[in-house]
Amino acid sequence: MSQAELEQLLQQVALRNRAAFKTLYQRTSAKLFGICLRILMDRAAAEEALQETYAKIWRNAEQYSRARASPIAWLAAIARNQSIDMLRARKPRADDIDTATQIADDRPGPEANTIAADEGRRLQACIGELPARQAKAIRAAYFGGHTYNALAKRAGVPLGTMKSWIRRGLIKLRDCMNR
Amino acid sequence: MSRKPNQASPRDDRSLAGELALGVLTGAELAAAEKRRRDDPDFARAVEEWHVLLADLALEAPEVAPPAANWAETERRLFGAQAASPGLWHNLALWRWLAAGSTAAALALAALVIVPLTAPRTPQPPPLVATLQAADAGPAFIARYHAEIGRLVIRVVKPADAAARVPELWLIPKADGVPRSLGLLALTGETGVTIPQALRPHAAPGATLAVSLEPPGGAPGGKPTGPVVALGEIGAF
């Protein structure tokens, strides 16, 4: 399904078209469920997160604007943020030190990303230009919901170092994406 | 600005919004950034842009089909026990009127749907709602009607390219299919309309709301003359 088709579906959902909402779900739920699973690492929690995600999409579809995001990125951000909220509800934020979840740090495998192939390519290229430690830290934060303290402890570096990695990484990413 | 090596780079405004979006801040830093997001619209926009930029990371996750029951649960959560969607409008009298009055620019009947509001938690009579929808290029409206007070609120979702014409709202009762004007609509935002007492019994499920584009001041003679640009059936949630 093309981004243009997704945009039209979102417009219809904004107009409260339930048939379009169902179609949107059919086209995108595997992608969003994959995101929820990756973050929550738990099927029951991921299913809950997915339902909440689509509830948010239904309620907020009017806010989608083509000028600000591709539709799949907008949807993915909702799924990610919903999942992180639920992840944090499971554990306190201030001192989360979860060393068990290493999987989230890794680069993506060769699995085909059917919807995202074009959309994600530019970020993939840009994040590939970062030093490995910056890319790894950013991914860990993004998928693991880790804060600076936890990231520094996991990586075994001083807090200031981790902050520097993340900040520099973010700035380089944005400069790269804006080229 | 020079930085000493091996020290954290000084607070760089370009990254703060990204740090907030990424979710790495805690404590006082987090509170300050959240406050800034509330107070500073430029900053808030930057945070949103970061969410979108970073979303490509989320797209790295491989697809996994959710269990089949998940959709039914989602529907139930949003729409309650009702499953049925209404079909297309099929009042013959209305079709004839539309055929007579419409121009090439006007009309496309999409599936008419009930607009659910947040699921009613109390056993009150639910507000009646309609989505008024037109061809892709046309305007679109959402209407909510609070029967207890006879008040109809129309919200413009996509404005008409009105040129020299104004949108006028019509109620077409199921009983006789004769359009009655409910007044002119603002081009954007919300218009509140109080339905005259005499018409209220007609603002019921099965009736139609329509919007036509009329000369300034509204349709002369109280009958629609311009193209119908949006149409919706009133249904109960």
Side-chain angles (χ1 to χ4, degrees), chain B residues 18-151:
Chain B
E19 292 169 88
L20 184 58
L22 191 54
V24 289
L25 301 173
T26 54
E29 279 185 337
L30 173 64
E34 288 283 16
K35 179 173 196 308
R36 187 165 168 197
R37 171 160 55 177
R38 283 191 301 271
D39 297 340
D40 179 353
D42 288 333
F43 186 75
R45 196 173 311 119
V47 174
E48 191 194 326
E49 285 169 3
W50 275 107
H51 278 300
V52 170
L53 185 155
L54 292 169
D56 283 349
L57 282 176
L59 296 175
E60 290 176 2
E63 298 189 5
V64 178
N70 196 273
W71 169 248
E73 263 311 305
T74 304
E75 270 201 311
R76 207 174 351 260
R77 176 185 293 229
L78 280 172
F79 310 130
Q82 280 194 2
S85 298
L88 288 169
W89 174 250
H90 56 271
N91 180 302
L92 276 183
L94 177 61
W95 277 108
R96 269 184 256 123
W97 167 67
L98 291 175
S102 65
T103 67
L107 203 56
L109 288 182
L112 303 175
V113 293
I114 294 173
V115 178
L117 304 178
T118 55
R121 292 191 177 82
T122 63
Q124 293 167 3
L128 303 182
V129 292
T131 304
L132 294 88
Q133 200 169 320
D136 282 342
F141 309 83
I142 293 180
R144 292 202 305 274
Y145 178 52
H146 299 271
E148 330 80 59
I149 53 174
R151 185 136 181 91

Side-chain angles (χ1 to χ4, degrees), chain B residues 168 170 214-225:
Chain B
E168 185 161 358
W170 306 87
E214 300 293 340
K223 281 191 165 24
T225 63

Side-chain angles (χ1 to χ4, degrees), chain B residues 174-234:
Chain B
K174 190 172 176 182
D176 60 8
V178 175
R180 278 119 167 135
S181 176
L182 294 179
L184 302 181
L185 298 179
L187 282 176
T188 58
E190 284 195 351
T191 306
V193 170
T194 300
I195 299 196
Q197 284 282 2
L199 284 183
R200 283 188 206 178
H202 295 300
T208 296
L209 289 173
V211 176
S212 65
L213 289 180
E214 300 293 340
K223 281 191 165 24
T225 63
V228 173
V229 292
L231 194 66
E233 178 175 335
I234 295 179

Side-chain angles (χ1 to χ4, degrees), chain A residues 38-77:
Chain A
R38 172 111 180 222
I39 292 172
L40 290 162
M41 302 292 204
D42 175 295
R43 280 195 82 98
E47 288 173 32
E48 173 71 23
L50 190 70
Q51 288 172 28
E52 262 311 308
T53 295
Y54 279 95
K56 280 193 177 147
I57 291 168
W58 172 261
R59 288 193 291 264
N60 297 324
E62 302 161 18
Q63 292 174 20
Y64 168 74
S65 156
R66 176 211 289 169
R68 299 205 294 264
S70 70
I72 193 62
W74 189 76
L75 296 170

Side-chain angles (χ1 to χ4, degrees), chain A residues 9 12 27-28 32 41 49 54 59 74 81 98 108 120 147-148 171:
Chain A
L9 283 177
Q12 289 297 309
R27 296 285 184 272
T28 59
L32 301 194
M41 302 292 204
Y54 279 95
R59 288 193 291 264
W74 189 76
N81 292 337
D98 187 345
T147 61
Y148 274 136
I171 291 170

Side-chain angles (χ1 to χ4, degrees), chain A residues 160-173:
Chain A
T161 302
M162 179 54 69
K163 288 188 176 182
S164 174
W165 288 357
I166 295 263
R167 286 175 191 157
R168 288 188 190 154
L170 288 174
I171 291 170
K172 278 194 212 139
L173 264 186

